[in-house]
Amino acid sequence: MFISFEGIDGSGKSTQLVLLREWFEERGRSIVTIREPGATYLSEAIRDILLSNKQSITATAELLLFSAARTQLVETVIQTSLDRGDVVLCDRYVDSTTAYQGYGRQLTLESVEICNSLAARGVMPVLTFFIDVPYNEAQTRMQFETSQAKPDRIESSGPEFFERVRSGYLAIAAQEPSRFIVINGVQERDAIHREIVSIVERRL
Ligand SMILES: Nc1ncnc2c1ncn2[C@@H]1O[C@H](COP(=O)(O)OP(=O)(O)O)[C@@H](O)[C@H]1O
Ligand SMILES: [Mg+2]
């Protein structure tokens, strides 16, 4: 079973991923958790380039780098884990590219779609939880994090960018309502977790 989490930084993706991981572990399931981009040597190296503030990166280069990182991950980790019968929980996947590079950076949705389908190789989550939190709330939450002292290159893109990203996520939700589930992220973490679990249980 392949499940992904989406939302802007500070929305609570990692928090919910850990809670869902524990829930599956208590039920004896073998779990693989992955952050995107990352989880392979190549993908982590690309992540460092993408998030670094040292240089500017054009929107198309950004799209292709994310896609390269993703396809390496799909072929070497996700596909093999799913073949073994593991539950794969992914912190971001193709919908991030649609929302950030498509809607946020305003690349054509056609070019994003080509890159996403090339990179994903037909491997798609059965469920995606979009944790919807207003930009200001997410910013406030991140200010309390010591590990995230400085915003990375993409996080520094400003409020209008993140408004477009959110509209992108909502557009995906309208197109794929059975896979892409919008969760109100402005709730207690346990309440969000219970909502996610009830949806997962229905799909098991
Ligand atoms: N439901 C919630 N309500 C309030 N704060 C939260 C909630 N979920 C997570 N947080 C806090 O917000 C910050 C960002 O959460 P995190 O899970 O790291 O988000 P993301 O992975 O989406 O960037 C963390 O400090 C986390 O403890
Ligand atoms: Mg996170």
Side-chain angles (χ1 to χ4, degrees):
M1 188 181 213
F2 181 16
I3 297 173
S4 63
F5 289 83
E6 293 287 348
I8 61 176
D9 278 316
S11 60
K13 297 182 297 299
S14 302
T15 303
Q16 292 303 323
L17 195 143
V18 169
L19 292 174
L20 189 61
R21 179 194 179 108
E22 289 167 358
W23 185 85
F24 272 114
E25 279 170 350
E26 281 163 19
R27 277 147 194 84
R29 291 297 297 265
S30 159
I31 309 281
V32 175
T33 52
I34 290 161
R35 70 164 181 185
E36 252 239 67
T40 71
Y41 182 81
L42 176 71
S43 312
E44 288 288 343
I46 292 175
R47 179 190 183 91
D48 289 343
I49 294 169
L50 278 166
L51 301 186
S52 163
N53 283 308
K54 284 195 197 117
Q55 74 272 293
S56 66
I57 298 177
T58 71
T60 302
E62 188 177 286
L63 169 66
L64 293 170
L65 283 168
F66 274 115
S67 301
R70 176 166 306 129
T71 202
Q72 180 79 11
L73 176 64
V74 170
E75 265 195 85
T76 65
V77 181
I78 297 180
Q79 184 66 72
T80 43
S81 304
L82 291 172
D83 290 346
R84 266 201 310 269
D86 294 350
V87 175
V88 175
L89 303 180
C90 207
D91 193 333
R92 300 190 177 282
Y93 197 56
V94 286
D95 303 301
S96 282
T97 303
T98 305
Y100 283 71
Q101 280 69 52
Y103 287 81
R105 300 282 190 235
Q106 298 177 304
L107 291 173
T108 67
L109 294 180
E110 192 196 3
S111 60
V112 169
E113 180 45 46
I114 290 168
C115 288
N116 279 350
S117 62
L118 254 178
R121 308 166 58 82
V123 179
M124 281 296 287
V126 287
L127 276 173
T128 298
F129 294 107
F130 165 47
I131 306 177
D132 189 19
V133 162
Y135 176 69
N136 288 336
E137 168 70 19
Q139 290 291 103
T140 307
R141 287 183 187 181
M142 282 192 297
Q143 277 159 19
F144 291 103
E145 274 188 31
T146 43
S147 60
Q148 281 250 347
K150 242 181 118 207
D152 64 42
R153 193 181 58 83
I154 292 179
E155 271 177 61
S156 316
S157 301
E160 297 81 20
F161 175 83
F162 284 100
E163 269 314 306
R164 291 199 298 275
V165 169
R166 177 167 188 264
S167 73
Y169 277 132
L170 295 176
I172 300 168
Q175 276 163 21
E176 291 184 74
S178 75
R179 173 181 70 88
F180 195 90
I181 314 290
V182 182
I183 303 279
N184 172 16
V186 190
Q187 306 180 67
E188 290 292 320
R189 50 202 91 187
D190 285 345
I192 298 172
H193 175 61
R194 282 195 299 275
E195 197 175 327
I196 288 175
V197 161
S198 77
I199 295 164
V200 169
E201 279 180 322
R202 263 182 271 146
R203 295 294 173 93
L204 279 177

